[in-house]
Amino acid sequence: MLLQMIEDWMMLCVCDYAAQVRGKGFSVADRDKFLKRGISIAPTSLMITAFGEIIKSPWGPRGEILMRPDPKTETHVPAFHEEMTEERFVLADLTEMDGAPWAGCPRTWLANGLKALAEEAGLQVLGAFEHEFHLTGLEARRGDSYLLDAMRLPGPFAGAVLKTLRQNEIDPELFHPEFGADQYEVSCKATHGVTIADDGVRLREIVRAVARAFGRRAVFTPLLAPDKVGNGTHIHFSLQDLEGKPQSYDPKAPHGISQVAGQFLAGVLRHMPALCALTAPSAISYLRMRPNRWSATYNNLGLLDREAGVRVCTAIDRDGVTPAESFNFEYRASDGTANPYLTLGAIVWAGLQGIQEKLPLPEPTDSDPAEFSKEEQARRNLVHLPQSLEEALAALKADEVALGWMGPVLAEAYLVHKESELAVLDGKHMDEQCRYYFESY
Ligand code: GLU
Ligand code: MG
């Protein structure tokens, strides 16, 4: 390959309703111009389904919106060998052409939720996404769950991901083989605000880029096939005041959960069936969210329970880490087909609602909620989470409060988008649906 014949490119992108990162590319020589000016797109671009069709759009061929880059998100993937070139991408907000916020923008929706949480409750969110995915082209050893040898299997892949994350100021936390064959997990250290979701998007794309560099594909579909192990994207979060002082932990409170954190969690759990439309937004997300899959089936708060809707994680008290600093919660009803801005936005808006209404802390469960009587479930406000995307969309449509957080433009666009996705899959067998998502994510 003659490197002097190749010009370096970069791309200005948004993470869209399908959680696909799409945008427009240009020569690195024009970097400053486009970072300043942004690039316009048709709003209907947001209506491209995960599978590439546009079925319906509120805007049709009309209108123009602007991708306005946030230079903090510029991401660089180096060339790891002679057969590849380096790449750069930058994430953007979607605005009106004059720079005013655009009501359909997922990133702005999250930013607005965080602003409201700061203004109305004096709180900020500390959090991180944890991503599970499959790698193609490996010859897994039988029983390779968490196996040291499974780290070696993709060659320099793990090390290249860790280094690329660090060079992009995303501090990696863990990288390990997961339970399933060819399945891995990578997580990063917790950070604040919109950056939590930015890092979620950037990390996935870094993993995809590094996998490509070594001739593989990183696949973030919820499920390869109906009987296979699922890929979750779990979201860890806790609350801090605006000075960064932890606010989730209270040693004197039941289970160590502070009053304000209890209210926040109560809001999330009450609205969880509707939130699923945003956090578990594919048709096959609901094959993963079944019992005995270590995902989530009820809107329960589980103490150290990896099948709870939200898990209360262990507070660490050693080596200079205090329980208040380490105490956090994990939202488990989410996967790689969800847009990280919408996922975190849903949690933040629902949590703020719980604080505003001063909702009481739901009683945590320490056993399977399916085993409670109907009366006991009702007493604890426990509901089964949706069992299909249709049910999740119906739950969102029926939740006036959640629709209110989204506003009419985002809510309509998102619902039309998801109904289009279902239309593409109509009549297809579950195995074929899994294949579609495998090919798209
Ligand atoms: N793979 C599981 C999921 O689909 C999660 C396993 C774990 O707890 O790490 O969410
Ligand atoms: Mg895991």
Side-chain angles (χ1 to χ4, degrees):
M1 188 164 73
L2 295 172
L3 280 177
Q4 67 272 27
M5 300 303 291
I6 295 169
E7 195 158 351
D8 283 332
W9 55 266
M10 64 188 289
M11 198 157 169
L12 181 53
C13 303
V14 291
C15 182
D16 68 11
Y17 300 147
Q20 301 288 6
V21 178
R22 305 184 209 263
K24 291 187 176 174
F26 44 89
S27 163
V28 165
D30 286 326
R31 178 183 177 280
D32 294 350
K33 179 176 88 182
F34 286 120
L35 286 198
K36 197 156 162 237
R37 212 190 257 187
I39 300 177
S40 64
I41 56 168
T44 288
S45 313
L46 273 282
M47 289 295 126
I48 304 173
T49 69
F51 314 121
E53 291 88 347
I54 300 173
I55 310 276
K56 256 171 86 181
S57 164
W59 306 287
R62 288 168 300 280
E64 192 90 332
I65 50 176
L66 191 63
M67 292 192 287
R68 278 198 93 178
D70 183 340
K72 286 198 299 296
T73 64
E74 182 161 342
T75 307
H76 174 233
V77 182
F80 292 103
H81 51 74
E82 283 184 355
E83 295 308 309
M84 73 178 282
T85 52
E86 54 188 79
E87 73 164 66
R88 282 189 167 74
F89 66 89
V90 186
L91 299 173
D93 283 316
L94 290 167
T95 70
E96 302 287 356
M97 292 306 286
D98 63 3
W102 181 60
C105 173
R107 193 169 185 261
T108 306
W109 186 61
L110 168 60
N112 290 344
L114 291 165
K115 190 160 168 273
L117 183 69
E119 285 172 2
E120 291 169 39
L123 294 170
Q124 59 173 335
V125 176
L126 178 73
F129 285 70
E130 200 176 88
H131 310 257
E132 294 173 345
F133 60 95
H134 279 81
L135 269 184
T136 62
L138 295 175
E139 277 177 53
R141 266 170 64 178
R142 189 181 288 278
D144 72 347
S145 314
Y146 305 100
L147 197 69
L148 171 60
D149 198 36
M151 279 298 265
R152 302 179 184 122
L153 204 58
F157 176 75
V161 167
L162 292 174
K163 180 138 188 168
T164 310
L165 289 173
R166 211 181 292 288
Q167 286 185 337
N168 282 286
E169 289 170 23
I170 301 174
D171 277 339
E173 177 88 1
L174 293 177
F175 188 117
H176 59 88
E178 248 292 345
F179 183 69
D182 303 337
Q183 191 187 27
Y184 293 84
E185 172 173 322
V186 59
S187 53
C188 55
K189 292 210 171 69
T191 180
H192 292 101
V194 175
T195 306
I196 304 168
D198 283 337
D199 286 358
V201 176
R202 296 168 73 215
L203 179 145
R204 265 186 217 157
E205 291 309 312
I206 286 172
V207 170
R208 286 193 167 108
V210 174
R212 291 265 186 226
F214 296 105
R216 307 190 187 284
R217 194 160 77 82
V219 184
F220 291 83
T221 183
L223 219 52
L224 294 183
D227 60 342
K228 289 280 189 318
V229 174
N231 284 317
T233 304
H234 308 147
I235 302 107
H236 288 264
F237 62 93
S238 63
L239 300 171
Q240 294 188 336
D241 69 14
L242 301 182
E243 275 76 54
K245 193 157 165 273
Q247 297 296 320
S248 297
Y249 186 68
D250 177 354
K252 293 187 286 301
H255 314 289
I257 302 171
S258 72
Q259 189 182 40
V260 75
Q263 295 168 348
F264 188 97
L265 290 168
V268 171
L269 295 167
R270 188 177 71 182
H271 292 281
M272 204 162 169
L275 301 193
C276 284
L278 298 163
T279 64
S282 74
I284 63 167
S285 296
Y286 298 88
L287 291 180
R288 170 183 163 263
M289 281 167 42
R290 289 196 174 168
N292 307 319
R293 285 187 162 276
W294 290 36
S295 59
T297 46
Y298 276 82
N299 67 334
N300 62 320
L301 184 65
L303 298 173
L304 308 180
D305 179 353
R306 288 183 170 75
E307 287 201 350
V310 176
R311 176 170 72 113
V312 181
C313 301
T314 321
I316 298 169
D317 188 5
R318 57 164 199 271
D319 305 328
V321 181
T322 66
E325 284 164 346
S326 60
F327 196 48
N328 72 89
F329 312 104
E330 181 187 37
Y331 183 99
R332 294 181 67 86
S334 185
D335 62 56
T337 58
N339 174 312
Y341 302 108
L342 296 179
T343 312
L344 190 60
I347 293 171
V348 168
W349 281 106
L352 175 60
Q353 186 76 34
I355 293 174
Q356 285 165 335
E357 291 186 39
K358 299 190 171 35
L359 297 180
L361 173 73
E363 199 175 321
T365 54
D366 54 10
S367 61
D368 185 353
E371 286 164 11
F372 293 143
S373 65
K374 289 279 163 256
E375 296 71 37
E376 182 64 4
Q377 289 183 354
R379 190 184 68 74
R380 292 165 170 261
N381 294 321
L382 287 173
V383 291
H384 202 294
L385 294 176
Q387 288 177 276
S388 66
L389 180 55
E390 288 88 340
E391 278 184 33
L393 295 175
L396 176 58
K397 280 190 209 163
D399 190 332
E400 293 288 337
V401 178
L403 292 175
W405 309 324
M406 294 180 81
V409 175
L410 180 60
E412 189 203 346
Y414 186 78
L415 288 167
V416 167
H417 183 273
K418 284 292 151 188
E419 279 154 12
S420 301
E421 182 172 326
L422 285 172
V424 178
L425 296 172
D426 193 33
K428 295 194 169 40
H429 189 268
M430 272 305 166
D431 292 294
E432 203 180 351
Q433 296 193 13
C434 287
R435 190 170 56 75
Y436 264 55
Y437 284 103
F438 170 80
E439 289 171 1
S440 295
Y441 287 92

